[in-house]
Amino acid sequence: MRKIFLLIGGVLMSAVLSAQSLIGAWEAYHTSEKGDPLRSVVIFSHGYQVLSTFNAESGKFIHSNGGSWNLVGNSMTEKVEFHTDDADKVGMESTFQVMITDSVMGIVGDDLKFKRIDDGAPGELQGAWLMSGRKRDGEIRSRDTNRPRKTMKILSGTRFQWIAYNTETRAFMGTGGGTYTTVDGKYTENIEFFSRDDTRVGASLEFDYSLEDGNWHHSGLSSKGNPIYEIWSPRE
């Protein structure tokens, strides 16, 4: 009988942990002080997260912040790596209580609630990646991913966002994101917001991709129509 109780307890604990997983993408619709319709999307990968807000109708970019995170029980600790509104927050840590179910997530005491978009699936590329190299003229040129200036991409099962920033100078260079698919070696991005150029919203970009020795090789044409071959490495 004791073994049965232990088995049941283990199953229930597994269900609770599963229900409280933050991995994946979440969204919330709300309005600005001026009454503009806003959409906020947060993507959680293992160890890293990004939150962005943009106009729900036009896609006009408004805000982004993110960095590393850790969850112990219902206590969330985040360390800021980039922040579009307040560079002084870069490097700061904050701890707060969160409410999480399988379909809803929010900060305790805050009325804004996020609904789950996906749980990290199907997401062959789900996770946090750092640009670690480019191929030019047939030659691969590596980039040190430990340097302060970073280009990071965070993907859930269905959503992506890239962020360019510098943790030393606390400068934010740009970001963009939306939905993506991976089908038959083709990686397609559907842009929903782009901090540098709102006219890119609505565009779809298709790339060839492959996973080689754990790295993501990515080639095609950039949003400006220039040929690119990038290599992304998993962020530990």
Coordinates of all heavy atoms in Angstrom, one line a residue, residues 6 86 215:
L6 N 3.2 6.1 -2.7 CA 4.3 6.8 -3.2 C 4.2 7.0 -4.7 O 4.6 8.0 -5.3 CB 5.6 6.0 -2.9 CG 6.1 6.0 -1.4 CD1 7.2 5.0 -1.2 CD2 6.5 7.4 -1.0
D86 N 15.1 51.6 -20.1 CA 15.9 52.0 -19.0 C 17.2 51.2 -18.9 O 17.2 50.1 -18.3 CB 15.1 51.9 -17.7 CG 15.8 52.5 -16.5 OD1 17.0 52.9 -16.6 OD2 15.2 52.6 -15.4
N215 N 25.0 22.9 -33.5 CA 24.9 24.3 -34.0 C 23.9 24.4 -35.1 O 23.7 23.5 -35.9 CB 26.2 24.8 -34.4 CG 27.3 24.9 -33.3 OD1 26.9 25.3 -32.2 ND2 28.5 24.5 -33.6

